[in-house]
Amino acid sequence: MTERLQPGDTAPAFTLPDADGNEVSLADHKGRKVIVYFYPAALTPGCTKQACDFTDNLELLAGAGYDVIGISPDKPEKLAKFREKENLKVKLLADPDKQVLEAYGAYGEKKMYGKTVVGVIRSTVIVDEDGKVERALYNVKATGHVAKIITDLGISAGTRMR
């Protein structure tokens, strides 16, 4: 089982292709806070709800100094379809070999309908400007999760970067 990240840990570096096949690295976001969220599969109801919630709140999060990156084991082509179909503005990255998912503790055993299965553990890791883990949330719910993050981070409609 993969080790879960803890606050203060250095966030594992990554470079993955986005929905257009362009390489995106965590290092590209140095100096900004980054919300990295891991979800099981594009074009599924829960993952769609979560991606739409992040898209709907992207301006608010960006205004508070946060970039948002969604990572799943889907291939870039499927991510492009997902983005187009749902009009998503969140940066979606493909991790088909699951190396980044595993490095972040977002892949492993989980309970699903009472059975233990191996798969993507819906997770969110908030990385600070220096690349350190500020928060690591595992087994999160797709619905209401974005609102909870916004509340927990103390972001309000009036919050703006100084």
Side-chain angles (χ1 to χ4, degrees):
M1 176 114 177
T2 320
E3 283 296 309
R4 292 186 168 185
L5 296 175
Q6 301 296 322
D9 289 351
T10 297
F14 62 78
T15 300
L16 293 170
D18 69 9
D20 300 312
N22 301 313
E23 301 270 297
V24 175
S25 299
L26 181 60
D28 298 342
H29 298 269
K30 192 141 178 68
R32 300 245 329 144
K33 293 185 177 202
V34 186
I35 297 171
V36 184
Y37 79 96
F38 300 91
Y39 62 99
L43 300 166
T44 58
C47 297
T48 298
K49 173 81 179 111
Q50 189 176 23
C52 288
D53 280 354
F54 271 118
T55 293
D56 293 346
N57 289 286
L58 207 54
E59 209 171 283
L60 177 67
L61 291 164
Y66 291 89
D67 294 336
V68 179
I69 298 172
I71 300 178
S72 75
D74 298 305
K75 294 199 172 354
E77 304 76 39
K78 187 172 180 189
L79 297 178
K81 275 188 199 137
F82 187 33
R83 182 186 62 201
E84 304 313 315
K85 181 175 188 284
E86 302 299 337
N87 200 21
L88 300 173
K89 303 287 182 243
V90 177
K91 175 115 4 229
L92 301 173
L93 305 184
D95 184 20
D97 62 9
K98 303 174 188 74
Q99 284 185 322
V100 175
L101 284 154
E102 288 181 5
Y104 276 77
Y107 189 84
E109 282 189 0
K110 63 181 185 175
K111 290 261 189 246
M112 207 165 151
Y113 306 113
K115 291 187 168 67
T116 300
V117 297
V118 174
V120 176
I121 298 161
R122 191 181 302 276
S123 310
T124 301
V125 176
I126 300 171
V127 181
D128 72 13
E129 301 90 339
D130 300 318
K132 297 276 188 214
V133 174
E134 192 175 290
R135 294 168 193 244
L137 311 161
Y138 293 95
N139 295 308
V140 301
K141 300 273 179 251
T143 306
H145 179 59
V146 176
K148 184 176 176 357
I149 289 173
I150 290 168
T151 302
D152 289 353
L153 294 174
I155 299 170
S156 66
T159 306
R160 283 278 171 254
M161 277 297 288
R162 294 190 212 337

